[in-house]
Every structure is written in structure tokens, then in C-alpha cells.
């Protein structure tokens, strides 16, 4: 359970809206505010429990967008969806964007840096009294691939997440408002992502709900690659995404974050039904 959010009787489904021209998955498709709001409502109709709105690409190698531009992209979409009764999360590394998004109706701050990118983020979220996603993060997108060096990826991610959780709590965010995310694809190679998915049970030792964001990521492309080694494009990884969603739901994830909702919504409901039949 996450204080301040609805309580679902199964793994929740977080739908993604990238209000960006350069997302690795669907860059440009929802860049217009009207299109983005419509997309969010469509995701809810397909089974999303909450919708995550982001205005800055975090794909490997991406450069940061200016603050004013991120605000211009994100706030009208958050406001439009919240006005329609949608449970909205804001995906941002900037405290100013988080603050204005919460004022516009967002009820969750999803910061891929876990508060490390902006020293104002943790106090801002603490003051707003909203839930906060602490993701495992080792640096900005431009050079994160060089940081994907581990001797024991599960142990190191656990230790680094625990350290970050302690810092966030010390900064004033209530423990019951924290969600943790192992950061699949962020400063990780395919073998690291697969190891983390294989050891989700160990992540529960952190004692907080888990958000798993595997949707369309590179490691799925590597798994699906043909013999010649060419991975399928991001939009052809949705069945693989649903498979990870089912695994995550079965292993007790609080929520899964996905670009295409319908198959994952079905997957988590099947996982819940199977658990209920034991």
C-alpha cells in the first residue's frame, strides 16, 4: 500500500505518456497537448489504473530539455487528465516541474534519479506530501551506459536503493509514501536487467512497494533478436513487455509501467486470478 494513492487488489498498471519528440518508444506521437490528453484517456479505457506523464526523454544518450520547455509540455497534460478524474503521476527530475504538476492535479512524483538530479526535489515532495518513486540511478542519460559496471548487480542495486531510501526519508518524505524501482535499462546492460527481473523477490527486502518499468526496453529487444542479432523495433516488444508484467505481478510488484496497456492489463489480472486460486 502507498499512502496517498488508491489501493488496488492486484498489481496496478501505469500507462505512459511521453510528451516528447524524441522518446525511444513513441517520440512525437503525443507531443500535442490535446493528443496527449486523449491518449491518457484511451489508456485508462484500456485498463490503466494511473497515467505517468513525462516531458523529457531519458533514453540512453538523450540530452536534457530546458526547464521552461518541460513545463510547457507537461503541465497542461497533467491538468487536462486530472480534470477528467485520472490518477496522474508526473515523470520528472525537476522540483519545479513536480511542484507545478502536483498543483495541477498529479498525485505521485516519479523521479528516475530518486531525487539526485535536483537537490530541491526531496524537500519539495516532502512539502507536497505526495508519494515518491525512488529509482536506482547512476547518472544522466548522456553517459549512463558507461556506468553499467557491476560485480553483483542485485546486491549493488539493493544497497544503492536502500541508501537512497534512507536519504529520502531523512529529507522528510514519509516512508509509507515511498515506492522503489530497480531502474531497468538505466546504467544496465541486458544481462543486468534480466538478473533483476529474476530476483524480484530479493527487492522486496527493501520493504516498500515495487514499480517495474520494463516496457519496450533494450533488454527485451536483445531477448527477441533474430540470429543475425537485429532486435525488433521498440513498438514490436509489447508482447514481451506483457510477459514481464505477468512475471512481475506474480512476484508481488505493486505496479508495472507500460506504453501499451491492454495486454499488460490482461496479464496482471490473470496473474491475480491464478494467485487467488492457490
Amino acid at each position: 500500500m502507498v499512502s496517498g494513492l488508491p489501493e488496488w487488489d492486484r498489481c496496478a498498471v501505469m500507462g505512459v505518456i511521453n510528451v516528447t519528440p524524441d522518446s525511444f518508444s513513441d517520440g512525437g506521437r503525443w507531443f500535442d497537448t490535446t493528443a496527449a490528453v486523449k491518449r491518457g484517456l484511451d489508456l485508462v479505457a484500456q485498463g490503466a489504473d494511473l497515467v505517468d506523464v513525462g516531458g523529457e526523454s531519458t533514453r540512453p544518450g538523450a540530452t536534457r530539455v530546458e526547464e521552461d520547455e518541460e513545463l510547457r509540455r507537461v503541465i497542461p497534460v497533467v491538468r487536462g487528465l486530472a480534470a477528467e478524474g485520472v490518477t496522474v503521476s508526473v515523470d520528472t527530475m525537476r522540483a519545479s516541474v513536480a511542484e507545478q504538476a502536483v498543483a495541477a492535479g498529479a498525485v505521485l512524483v516519479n523521479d528516475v534519479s530518486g531525487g539526485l538530479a535536483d537537490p530541491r526535489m526531496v524537500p519539495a515532495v516532502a512539502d507536497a506530501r505526495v508519494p515518491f518513486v525512488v529509482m536506482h540511478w547512476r547518472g544522466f542519460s548522456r553517459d549512463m551506459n558507461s556506468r553499467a559496471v557491476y560485480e553483483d548487480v542485485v546486491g549493488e542495486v539493493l544497497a544503492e536503493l536502500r541508501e537512497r531510501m534512507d536519504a529520502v526519508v531523512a529529507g522528510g518524505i514519509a516512508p509509507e509514501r515511498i515506492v522503489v524501482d530497480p531502474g531497468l535499462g538505466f546504467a544496465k546492460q541486458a544481462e543486468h536487467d534480466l538478473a533483476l527481473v529474476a530476483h524480484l523477490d530479493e527487492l522486496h527486502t527493501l520493504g516498500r512497494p515495487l514499480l517495474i518499468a520494463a516496457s519496450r526496453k533494450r533488454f527485451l529487444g536483445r531477448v527477441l533478436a533474430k540470429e543475425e542479432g537485429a532486435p525488433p523495433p521498440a513498438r514490436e516488444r509489447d508482447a514481451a513487455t506483457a510477459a514481464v508484467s505477468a512475471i512481475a505481478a506474480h512476484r508481488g510488484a505493486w505496479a508495472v509501467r507500460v506504453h501499451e496497456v491492454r495486454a499488460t492489463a490482461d496479464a496482471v489480472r490473470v496473474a491475480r486470478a491464478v494467485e487467488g486460486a492457490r
Side-chain angles (χ1 to χ4, degrees):
M1 181 176 175
V2 181
S3 179
L5 291 178
E7 187 171 355
W8 297 284
D9 65 351
R10 51 164 170 73
C11 177
V13 178
M14 176 186 282
V16 179
I17 301 179
N18 294 311
V19 194
T20 63
D22 58 345
S23 163
F24 83 97
S25 170
D26 50 17
R29 296 186 74 188
W30 324 116
F31 196 44
D32 173 77
T33 297
T34 301
V37 171
K38 181 180 183 303
R39 173 62 173 172
L41 296 175
D42 288 345
L43 292 176
V44 171
Q46 292 167 23
D49 300 293
L50 62 167
V51 173
D52 195 37
V53 179
E56 181 174 27
S57 174
T58 52
R59 62 180 170 77
T63 55
R64 298 210 67 187
V65 67
E66 294 294 326
E67 179 179 346
D68 287 349
E69 175 62 13
E70 187 181 356
L71 286 165
R72 187 194 68 77
R73 296 174 182 183
V74 167
I75 302 307
V77 179
V78 170
R79 184 178 295 115
L81 288 171
E84 296 290 337
V86 177
T87 301
V88 181
S89 166
V90 62
D91 176 0
T92 185
M93 292 185 281
R94 286 191 171 100
S96 60
V97 178
E99 288 169 332
Q100 292 193 42
V102 170
V107 295
L108 170 68
V109 176
N110 180 16
D111 179 356
V112 298
S113 80
L116 286 167
D118 184 345
R120 288 191 55 247
M121 179 64 88
V122 170
V125 173
D127 287 346
R129 299 175 64 84
V130 294
F132 186 58
V133 178
V134 176
M135 197 191 82
H136 179 262
W137 188 79
R138 285 185 165 184
F140 291 103
S141 298
R142 62 180 178 268
D143 61 357
M144 68 179 175
N145 284 346
S146 66
R147 303 171 190 268
V149 179
Y150 303 88
E151 291 187 9
D152 170 11
V153 65
V154 176
E156 289 172 54
V157 167
L158 274 170
E160 290 168 32
L161 273 174
R162 189 171 285 112
E163 179 181 353
R164 194 63 209 143
M165 286 171 57
D166 290 345
V168 164
V169 171
I173 297 178
E176 62 269 19
R177 291 196 176 97
I178 292 173
V179 174
V180 292
D181 178 342
L184 301 179
F186 286 81
K188 296 174 187 73
Q189 301 298 336
E191 62 269 24
H192 302 138
D193 293 324
L194 289 167
L196 287 164
V197 173
H199 292 87
L200 289 182
D201 292 350
E202 294 183 39
L203 292 173
H204 286 297
T205 62
L206 293 168
R208 292 307 302 150
L210 296 178
L211 172 64
I212 303 300
S215 185
R216 295 180 172 177
K217 288 188 174 174
R218 288 178 300 165
F219 81 99
L220 297 177
R222 296 287 176 84
V223 170
L224 300 174
K226 307 298 183 184
E227 288 184 6
E228 62 271 22
R235 292 182 202 171
E236 294 179 17
R237 303 172 194 169
D238 291 327
T241 297
V244 176
S245 296
I247 292 167
H250 179 65
R251 295 188 177 171
W254 167 75
V256 287
R257 180 181 184 275
V258 296
H259 297 86
E260 287 295 334
V261 163
R262 194 177 304 279
T264 277
D266 289 348
V268 300
R269 285 166 172 80
V270 170
R272 177 68 184 90
V274 170
E275 287 295 306
R278 294 183 68 176

